[in-house]
Amino acid sequence: MKSLEAELADARDLDVTAIADAIESIGFECTRCGACCKAIECGDEDAGDGAADEHTATVFPDEIRRLQGADDEYDFRDVARPMPYGLSEGADGPEGETFEWSLQTDDCGDCTFYTEDEDGMGACSVHGDRPLICRTYPFSVALGGTSQPMGEAVDREGMVRAHECEGLGREIDRAEAESLAEALKERAVRELEEAIAVRDNYDPVEPEPGEVVVHDSEGQKRPDGTPLDR
């Protein structure tokens, strides 16, 4: 297995033209269905036991600050929540240690920045500042240490993986494919840089009952994004 540093070197060497070729071959056009921004329905709704897994999309610390806005339009918790993986449900809610942040969700489990018009067409209220994982969906790069959003890939062309999306297979403009390819390479590099920094800054703690500790590239933090002082 390659080290994260070796994977990062590979990510930095990725050929944007080759990535764009792969995206063009697979094909993609956003249909604004909103599936990638909403909670994932699970269970048998006809039987009355339908449930939903909350929308979960990784967001980096600097992306959180950008989404907060230059004038602090949003509080930290308006933008992000601790990644739920690794946390357990205590008497007063989630508790334990986790790594990284996920975009905040609303009461329905959808991304808090997701909106729909009267015709049911989806939109992002922070589209210009949306995180890299949102900019590049439904694609990812097949390098160790990078994430696969929304589960396993349903198609693959070289290093490029495509994940479940009704927009796959549609014709894509070359300029758009190249822009997407550039963002995809940037995301692969950022994910690996973040993973290395999380590893290097990791300092195990023993959370108190009812406490959540988040480890990110900048150290240990509380759910509101402030540093954890022990």
Side-chain angles (χ1 to χ4, degrees), residues 144-161:
T146 60
S147 67
Q148 294 196 68
M150 303 283 280
E152 296 298 319
V154 296
D155 198 356
R156 178 166 171 168
E157 185 75 26
M159 291 291 292
V160 177
R161 301 175 295 208

Side-chain angles (χ1 to χ4, degrees), residues 35-36 137-139 149-155 162-168:
C36 60
Y137 193 82
F139 298 102
M150 303 283 280
E152 296 298 319
V154 296
D155 198 356
H163 302 268
E164 186 173 356
C165 176
E166 71 172 32
L168 289 173

Side-chain angles (χ1 to χ4, degrees), residues 73-186:
E73 179 182 357
Y74 297 104
D75 290 333
F76 188 95
R77 291 199 194 200
D78 292 332
V79 175
R81 63 190 174 103
M83 189 65 71
Y85 309 127
L87 300 180
S88 58
E89 194 65 26
D92 298 318
E95 59 185 23
E97 288 182 280
T98 188
F99 296 87
E100 302 290 3
W101 304 91
S102 175
L103 285 173
Q104 187 57 274
T105 55
D106 61 19
D107 292 341
C108 297
D110 300 341
C111 176
T112 190
F113 298 113
Y114 175 71
T115 62
E116 284 186 357
D117 63 22
E118 58 184 15
D119 296 321
M121 298 294 284
C124 175
S125 62
V126 290
H127 190 265
D129 291 317
R130 66 195 188 284
L132 281 165
I133 197 165
C134 303
R135 292 176 184 272
T136 54
Y137 193 82
F139 298 102
S140 65
V141 173
L143 288 173
T146 60
S147 67
Q148 294 196 68
M150 303 283 280
E152 296 298 319
V154 296
D155 198 356
R156 178 166 171 168
E157 185 75 26
M159 291 291 292
V160 177
R161 301 175 295 208
H163 302 268
E164 186 173 356
C165 176
E166 71 172 32
L168 289 173
R170 298 168 181 255
E171 186 175 353
I172 184 171
D173 177 80
R174 180 65 189 188
E176 187 177 349
E178 290 176 349
S179 177
L180 189 49
E182 290 173 357
L184 197 53
K185 176 177 179 176
E186 181 185 357

